[in-house]
Amino acid sequence: MEEKTFSNVFAIPANYTDSGRLLGGMLETRNAVEAAAVALVLGYLEFRLIPLGIVARIVIMTVTVLPAAIVAAMGIDGDSLFSYLGHILTYWRNRRVLHYRRIGYVEAGGPKK
């Protein structure tokens, strides 16, 4: 009789790690919440502060709020929008300015080193 070999190798589906995401794994929950918050805040401010007709307000909001919400939903470089802004602020607060002495440079009042 022939012995049958069994394989322990299984294919892992592409959406295996998509738990906790929205729209079939396309959006992270945090990014979706941030996009909704950005859209609501910007939309409310523009709707209240723009002294034009309703059609002009809608056009301006489409041009400004919609791209901001899309960027917030996608995130930047794998991070959510606000965590990326946090990285920028942390960099600005902790950045260092390096000064190097140039080779062959003669400083005023001193000999050439």
Side-chain angles (χ1 to χ4, degrees):
M1 293 239 189
E2 281 184 41
E3 291 186 31
K4 293 183 179 180
T5 60
F6 293 99
S7 176
N8 291 336
V9 177
F10 299 101
I12 299 174
N15 61 354
Y16 174 72
T17 59
D18 290 345
S19 62
R21 291 181 155 218
L22 303 174
L23 297 175
M26 291 179 59
L27 289 177
E28 292 184 19
T29 307
R30 178 177 176 158
N31 289 4
V33 170
E34 288 181 4
V38 165
L40 287 174
V41 169
L42 285 177
Y44 178 76
L45 288 175
E46 288 185 2
F47 192 76
R48 297 294 285 170
L49 297 177
I50 295 176
L52 298 174
I54 189 73
V55 175
R57 286 181 187 174
I58 291 173
V59 169
I60 292 172
M61 288 171 63
T62 302
V63 172
T64 57
V65 174
L66 192 62
I70 290 172
V71 167
M74 289 182 351
I76 298 174
D77 199 27
D79 287 335
S80 66
L81 182 65
F82 292 138
S83 65
Y84 186 76
L85 291 175
H87 292 309
I88 291 174
L89 294 175
T90 302
Y91 168 75
W92 282 346
R93 187 180 61 222
N94 297 328
R95 67 181 170 189
R96 304 286 187 258
V97 178
L98 301 177
H99 299 281
Y100 294 104
R101 190 173 59 92
R102 291 192 286 180
I103 298 173
Y105 180 72
V106 178
E107 294 183 14
K112 184 176 179 179
K113 294 182 181 180

